[in-house]
Amino acid sequence: MRTVTADDVRFVELDGRVMAALLDGDPTAAEVELTEYFLTDRARWLWRYRLDQMAADPGNARWMARLALVDDGAVVGHAGFHGPPDESGMVEIGYSVDPAFRRRGYARAALVELLRRAAAEPSARTVRATIGPDNTASLATIAGFGFVEVGEQWDEEDGLELIFERPA
């Protein structure tokens, strides 16, 4: 099986209307075929969280985790940022790949695209990734991209997370 590169993946907008439909259990609003992965409790938590963020500040919507990864018509996951750059210029990335498509390079392709996006934004100076210490797949995904461990934090949703940063 050939490993996927960033050029093999394209991103399409996953807007608030689609997220709201996914919250209601309707994957057809996306106008692409979504798997049950986009309707899991974890995914629904994310859609609700991002919709609340967009409602609070619609201008920041373009930064949210609103992108679906699409390859040959198959939606393999989603990626985006936790929000716009903060006052220090830090943006935090987030990506998730449907288990049916893992171990093929899609997470790495998403990471490359997120890093490109951050580099193109003048106000973004630092890219952050927070990863659970037992998430060996995500730790391997960021390896080789210049991320340095700078600390740890407790996340109410995810528990203990290691904090990694690199220049945008």
Side-chain angles (χ1 to χ4, degrees), residues 9 22 35 42 59 82 101 103 107-108 114 118 124 145 153 161:
V9 177
L22 291 171
T35 66
R42 177 75 176 155
H82 291 229
F101 294 97
R103 304 203 47 80
R108 188 168 286 267
L114 292 170
F145 283 94
Q153 67 184 16
E161 296 177 325

Side-chain angles (χ1 to χ4, degrees), residues 22 34 59 62 87 120 151:
L22 291 171
L34 297 178
R62 68 187 179 98
E87 60 281 344

Side-chain angles (χ1 to χ4, degrees), residues 54-112:
M54 291 189 305
D57 192 340
N60 293 335
R62 68 187 179 98
W63 286 95
M64 303 303 166
R66 337 171 331 130
L67 301 175
L69 285 67
V70 180
D71 179 30
D72 297 334
V75 180
V76 299
H78 53 85
F81 297 89
H82 291 229
D86 68 12
E87 60 281 344
S88 69
M90 187 276 296
V91 291
E92 186 172 344
I93 60 172
Y95 52 86
S96 184
V97 175
D98 183 326
F101 294 97
R102 290 184 181 163
R103 304 203 47 80
R104 299 184 197 176
Y106 290 114
R108 188 168 286 267
L111 175 60
V112 167

Side-chain angles (χ1 to χ4, degrees), residues 15-75:
D15 63 24
R17 176 188 58 82
V18 173
M19 283 189 247
L22 291 171
L23 275 173
D24 290 337
D26 176 14
T28 63
E31 299 175 6
V32 292
E33 189 171 333
L34 297 178
T35 66
E36 291 296 314
Y37 180 67
F38 290 84
L39 300 175
T40 63
D41 288 344
R42 177 75 176 155
R44 285 181 172 172
W45 175 88
L46 179 63
W47 311 142
R48 168 56 43 219
Y49 187 75
R50 295 297 180 229
L51 283 169
D52 289 347
Q53 283 183 297
M54 291 189 305
D57 192 340
N60 293 335
R62 68 187 179 98
W63 286 95
M64 303 303 166
R66 337 171 331 130
L67 301 175
L69 285 67
V70 180
D71 179 30
D72 297 334
V75 180

Side-chain angles (χ1 to χ4, degrees), residues 110-124:
L111 175 60
V112 167
E113 184 57 31
L114 292 170
L115 293 174
R116 283 182 192 162
R117 170 70 177 90
E121 178 62 41
S123 63

